[in-house]
Amino acid sequence: MESSTTPIVKQANTSIFISAALIVLLVGSVYISQLIFQEISKSFNINILDARFVFSLSCFFYAISFFIYGPLSDRVATRLLVLFGCVGTIFCLVIASMVDSFQIHLLMMSLTGFFAASVPAALFAYTAKNTPNEKLPQAMGVMISASIVGIIFSRSIVAMMADIWSWQLAFIIYAGFILFACLFIPFGINNSNNNSSNANVSIVNIYLAAAKLLLNTKVVIFLLVGFLLFFVYLGLSSFLTFYLKGAPFYLSSTVLGWLNFAGISAVIGATITGKLSQTVSDKKLLIICLLCVSAAVITIGFSQNLLCIALGIFGLFLFVFGIQPIVISVLNQIVPINSRGAISSIYLLSCLAGGSIGTYMLGIIYQNLNWHGVIFACISLALVNVALAWLGMKLIKK
C-alpha cells in the first residue's frame, strides 16, 4: 500500500510546487509597478500621481478577469488556461517595456492583468477541487502564500533592478522568469478538466450558476469583507510609496524594495491561520485578525520612525493574509463543490477590485487631505469590516 501511494504523493507535491511557482510569478506581474511610480513618471514625462494608474488599471483588469476565468476553470483544462495566461503576460510585459507612449503602456499593463489572472484562477480552482475539506484551509494557505510571495518578490526585485539598470530592462527580465517557469508546466499540471461533472454543462449555464452565487447573503457579506480588506491594504500600500519617497524619509526604490520584504510575514500569517482554523473557531480568528489590521494601519500612518513603520508593514501583511485562508475556506464550504472554482475566483475578484478602486479613491483623498486623510479613511473602513465579518459569522452560525 505504501509503495503504491508514494508516486501519487510525489506527483501531488510536484504539482503543488510548480503551481506555487507559477502563482508567484503571474500574480507578481500585476504588482511590479507599485514601487517604481517615480521612475515610470520620469520616463513618460507625466505627473507621479498619474503613474498610479499603471497599477490601478492592471489590478482592475486582473480582478475583473477572474469572473471570466473563474467559471471557465470549472470547465476548461487547467494546463490550457495556465499556458494561455503565461504566454499573454510575457508578450504584454515585453511590449510595455518598449513603447514610448504612456497610453499604449497603460493598455499593455491592463492586458497584463487580464492574461495573468487566468493562472491563479485555474490553479486555485484546481487545488480547491482536489483537496479534502479537512485539508482545504492548509492547501489554500499554500496557494495564498504563493500569491503573497509573488507580490513581495515582484515589487522588490523590479524596484532593485530599476535602480541598478532601468525599469524597462527589469520588465524584460521578469518576463524571462515566466518563460522559464513555463517549461515545467507539463511536469506538474494535469491536463484533465478541473471538474468532470461540468463536462456536459454549457459555458452559459456555468456563468449563470456563478452569478447565482451572488444571491446568497452570506456569500455577499464575505465578498464585501475581502473587498474592504484589499481596499485598505492595496490602497494604503500604493500611497505608502509616495509617503516614504517624500519628506522626511526620501527613500530610494532599492530601500523601498528591502522594506517591502517585511511583508514576508504574510506567508507566516496565511500558514498559521490555516492550521489554527482546525482548532480555533473561524469567528474568533477572523475578528481578531481584522482588529489587528486596524492596529497595523494606525502604526504605519502615525509613526515617524522607519522601524515602527516596518513593524506596521509586517503586521499589515501578517493579518491581511492571515485572514484569507479563513474566508476562502468559509466560502468554499457555503457553496456546492461544483462551484468552488467560481467562488474562489469571485472572491479574488472582489479583493482585487477593492484594491484597484482603493488605489483610485484614496488618490483623490490624498490630493485633497494628504497622507493623514488616507489613514483616517483606511482606519474607518477597517473597523466597518469588523462589523461585517461579525454579521457574516452570525448568519453562518444560524
Side-chain angles (χ1 to χ4, degrees):
M1 177 68 72
E2 185 178 350
S3 60
S4 64
T5 58
T6 299
I8 297 173
V9 172
K10 286 183 177 178
Q11 178 61 33
N13 290 338
T14 301
S15 179
I16 289 172
F17 179 79
I18 293 174
S19 296
L22 287 164
I23 288 174
V24 165
L25 292 171
L26 273 296
V27 171
S29 68
V30 180
Y31 293 82
I32 57 177
S33 64
Q34 208 175 17
L35 297 184
I36 56 169
F37 290 148
Q38 194 172 51
E39 288 80 356
I40 291 173
S41 68
K42 288 179 180 177
S43 293
F44 293 107
N45 195 28
I46 58 171
N47 186 285
I48 191 170
L49 276 176
D50 292 336
R52 81 184 191 277
F53 289 118
V54 175
F55 170 70
S56 188
L57 283 175
S58 178
C59 192
F60 178 77
F61 277 86
Y62 179 69
I64 293 301
S65 300
F66 270 98
F67 193 75
I68 298 172
Y69 296 124
L72 280 179
S73 68
D74 286 323
R75 173 71 185 272
V76 179
T78 301
R79 190 185 294 178
L80 179 61
L81 276 179
V82 170
L83 281 171
F84 172 78
C86 288
V87 172
T89 302
I90 291 167
F91 176 80
C92 291
L93 285 177
V94 172
I95 298 299
S97 68
M98 298 172 64
V99 297
D100 295 323
S101 166
F102 182 61
Q103 284 70 29
I104 297 176
H105 178 77
L106 274 180
L107 175 62
M108 288 297 106
M109 293 307 292
S110 299
L111 288 175
T112 295
F114 168 77
F115 285 111
S118 69
V119 176
L123 295 177
F124 267 76
Y126 187 76
T127 302
K129 296 233 175 64
N130 292 281
T131 306
N133 278 346
E134 64 273 13
K135 294 184 178 180
L136 189 57
Q138 290 185 50
M140 297 311 290
V142 172
M143 296 297 104
I144 292 163
S145 295
S147 301
I148 300 157
V149 173
I151 295 168
I152 297 164
F153 170 78
S154 65
R155 294 195 300 195
S156 298
I157 199 71
V158 168
M160 292 173 185
M161 288 192 293
D163 260 359
I164 297 170
W165 299 301
S166 68
W167 68 265
Q168 291 93 335
L169 182 57
F171 276 29
I172 292 173
I173 292 172
Y174 197 90
F177 293 159
I178 299 174
L179 180 61
F180 179 73
C182 284
L183 301 177
F184 297 92
I185 291 174
F187 302 102
I189 308 300
N190 195 312
N191 201 33
S192 63
N193 195 314
N194 277 334
N195 190 2
S196 58
S197 65
N198 280 334
N200 297 319
V201 181
S202 72
I203 294 291
V204 173
N205 286 335
I206 287 177
Y207 279 105
L208 287 174
K212 286 179 181 177
L213 296 175
L214 300 177
L215 300 177
N216 187 320
T217 304
K218 290 175 285 189
V219 168
V220 171
I221 287 175
F222 284 102
L223 293 180
L224 283 173
V225 168
F227 179 91
L228 291 178
L229 188 65
F230 272 66
F231 187 107
V232 171
Y233 154 64
L234 282 180
L236 180 61
S237 298
S238 295
F239 290 95
L240 186 59
T241 301
F242 297 157
Y243 178 58
L244 294 178
K245 283 195 171 184
F249 302 104
Y250 298 110
L251 300 186
S252 67
S253 292
T254 296
V255 175
L256 276 176
W258 283 113
L259 185 62
N260 183 64
F261 274 114
I264 203 69
S265 62
V267 177
I268 303 170
T271 303
I272 289 175
T273 56
K275 291 182 178 180
L276 282 177
S277 63
Q278 296 182 348
T279 54
V280 182
S281 76
D282 288 343
K283 181 178 179 180
K284 287 181 180 178
L285 275 177
L286 185 55
I287 299 300
I288 289 170
C289 287
L290 285 169
L291 288 171
C292 289
V293 167
S294 302
V297 172
I298 293 170
T299 302
I300 293 170
F302 297 107
S303 297
Q304 293 298 309
N305 182 284
L306 201 56
L307 178 60
C308 289
I309 292 174
L311 289 173
I313 294 171
F314 184 92
L316 183 66
F317 274 82
L318 179 73
F319 295 109
V320 165
F321 287 96
I323 288 165
Q324 301 311 304
I326 304 169
V327 178
I328 292 178
S329 178
V330 168
L331 283 169
N332 272 287
Q333 292 178 61
I334 290 173
V335 304
I337 191 168
N338 63 342
S339 295
R340 283 187 170 182
I343 195 60
S344 296
S345 294
I346 291 171
Y347 175 70
L348 292 172
L349 184 157
S350 68
C351 289
L352 293 164
S356 178
I357 294 169
T359 304
Y360 176 76
M361 296 301 296
L362 290 176
I364 297 171
I365 294 174
Y366 186 84
Q367 284 179 308
N368 293 282
L369 300 173
N370 298 317
W371 174 248
H372 286 134
V374 169
I375 293 301
F376 281 119
C378 288
I379 293 170
S380 301
L381 290 174
L383 292 175
V384 167
N385 222 10
V386 175
L388 264 179
W390 179 84
L391 176 62
M393 286 300 189
K394 190 175 180 181
L395 287 175
I396 286 177
K397 190 175 180 181
K398 286 183 179 180

